[in-house]
Amino acid sequence: MNDSFTIFAGRANVALATSVAVEMGARLGACSVDRFPDGELSVRLDEPVRGREVLIIQPTSPPVNDHLIELLAFADACRRASAAHVTAVMPYFGYSRADKRHGRREPITASMVADLMQAVGVNHVVTIDLHAPQIEGFFHIPVDSLTAAPVMVEALRPGLPPETVVVSPDAGRVHMATEYARLLGARVAVLHKERASGVETRITRLVGDVRDRPCLIMDDMISTGGTIAESVEALLGAGARPEIIVAATHGLLLAGAREKLARPQTREVLVTDTVAP
Ligand code: R5P
């Protein structure tokens, strides 16, 4: 048993934290998380962490605010109990889409999350496929944004039809789609998406040729499923083969998303386990 560090699992994805612990030959630290009758959260570490390296595994997936507060409470408890070093492992970084102001008098919530994490004593952040790389700049501590590409490519490659085009559903995912296309030896196409609100998007342009070709839509997350549904529609409208594969790192899959994704022309939807089902 590896006893050189302690791993605590928040409640957002205990299955993932357990498999990480098994992979690292470690055990999960004893802790209790509860809720007071008024909704406030109570976190307690049930073993000492003085002078220890601690990892807290907690994606800040929906309900985002609850999971975030839980992560902050864990980090605060570790700092007050004299842990030597606290790493927040956030496989999914909630609020990462709020990385800039879209108008006046708006917060930059991703930056606010970074401030809160550092204020409670987080020394290091590990995350996967961060929505916008510049979020790293909101922190003064090391941030490692890992990529799911190696596991995704391994899962995708065997079933990928010849001549597949990797499609970025918007300008923000061009780099990701290009990297997947390079790894899969495929071509790239880009859709231009306009967002009217949190739930309303519109695809206005396609850059690239998808006619008579199968497509792989690559995104960092599926939330309401609106972006993917619009993208499938646009690709079919542009003559793509009705054999579309969808892959995204974070499957938030909010209520109604699965229905939006379930179309006969969509052959398969792949997500990783960063977010609990
Ligand atoms: C947007 O910039 C993201 O990369 C995703 O495309 C988007 O957040 C997915 O959200 P939804 O599934 O609600 O369209």
Side-chain angles (χ1 to χ4, degrees):
M1 184 65 62
N2 188 344
D3 193 39
S4 50
F5 49 85
T6 304
I7 302 178
F8 288 111
R11 290 181 301 180
N13 197 343
V14 178
L16 176 68
T18 307
S19 44
V20 169
V22 169
E23 191 72 28
M24 295 174 87
R27 60 175 183 83
L28 290 179
C31 60
S32 350
V33 183
D34 223 328
R35 203 177 264 282
F36 291 110
D38 61 0
E40 287 178 357
L41 189 77
S42 129
V43 167
R44 202 184 56 226
L45 310 181
D46 293 325
E47 61 178 66
V49 292
R50 181 174 297 276
R52 288 188 63 81
E53 165 94 32
V54 176
L55 283 87
I56 306 162
I57 303 186
Q58 174 87 327
T60 47
S61 49
V64 181
N65 298 342
D66 283 359
H67 289 157
L68 175 63
I69 289 287
E70 199 176 294
L71 171 64
L72 296 171
F74 263 105
D76 192 64
C78 291
R79 178 176 58 93
R80 292 178 193 279
S82 304
H85 192 264
V86 178
T87 298
V89 181
M90 298 166 82
Y92 168 71
F93 191 115
Y95 285 114
S96 56
R97 286 176 287 183
D99 61 336
K100 58 177 121 25
R101 293 203 300 164
H102 295 279
R104 291 180 179 181
R105 297 182 293 279
E106 281 185 14
I108 301 180
T109 321
S111 160
M112 199 181 89
V113 170
D115 289 344
L116 290 168
M117 289 174 65
Q118 292 169 108
V120 296
V122 172
N123 304 112
H124 184 181
V125 178
V126 176
T127 187
I128 301 177
D129 286 333
L130 197 54
H131 178 69
Q134 65 268 22
I135 291 174
E136 185 182 342
F138 297 157
F139 288 91
H140 299 289
I141 54 177
V143 176
D144 289 313
S145 178
L146 311 179
T147 168
V151 280
M152 272 292 198
V153 165
E154 197 183 318
L156 286 163
R157 194 174 271 129
L160 210 64
E163 306 221 294
T164 296
V165 179
V166 181
V167 179
S168 168
D170 55 32
R173 257 359 81 197
V174 173
H175 180 74
M176 185 183 208
T178 308
E179 182 59 8
Y180 273 79
R182 188 185 66 78
L183 294 168
L184 293 165
R187 291 199 324 209
V188 188
V190 180
L191 293 167
H192 179 71
K193 178 177 86 178
E194 285 174 9
R195 185 173 280 285
S197 71
V199 289
E200 255 183 275
T201 56
R202 207 161 57 93
I203 305 286
T204 51
R205 293 267 187 287
L206 164 70
V207 181
D209 188 12
V210 297
R211 184 160 298 281
D212 297 327
R213 286 177 177 258
C215 292
L216 162 65
I217 306 175
M218 225 24 259
D219 210 346
D220 61 331
M221 67 180 90
I222 303 174
S223 182
T224 65
T227 299
I228 297 296
E230 290 268 341
S231 304
V232 168
E233 202 60 55
L235 292 173
L236 293 172
R241 229 191 278 165
E243 194 183 352
I244 294 176
I245 299 175
V246 175
T249 308
H250 312 294
L252 305 183
L253 300 172
L254 303 184
R258 286 167 198 267
E259 291 71 20
K260 279 190 197 151
L261 299 174
R263 293 188 57 157
Q265 298 88 344
T266 305
R267 201 178 85 178
E268 199 178 3
V269 178
L270 262 94
V271 295
T272 73
D273 58 357
T274 55
V275 171

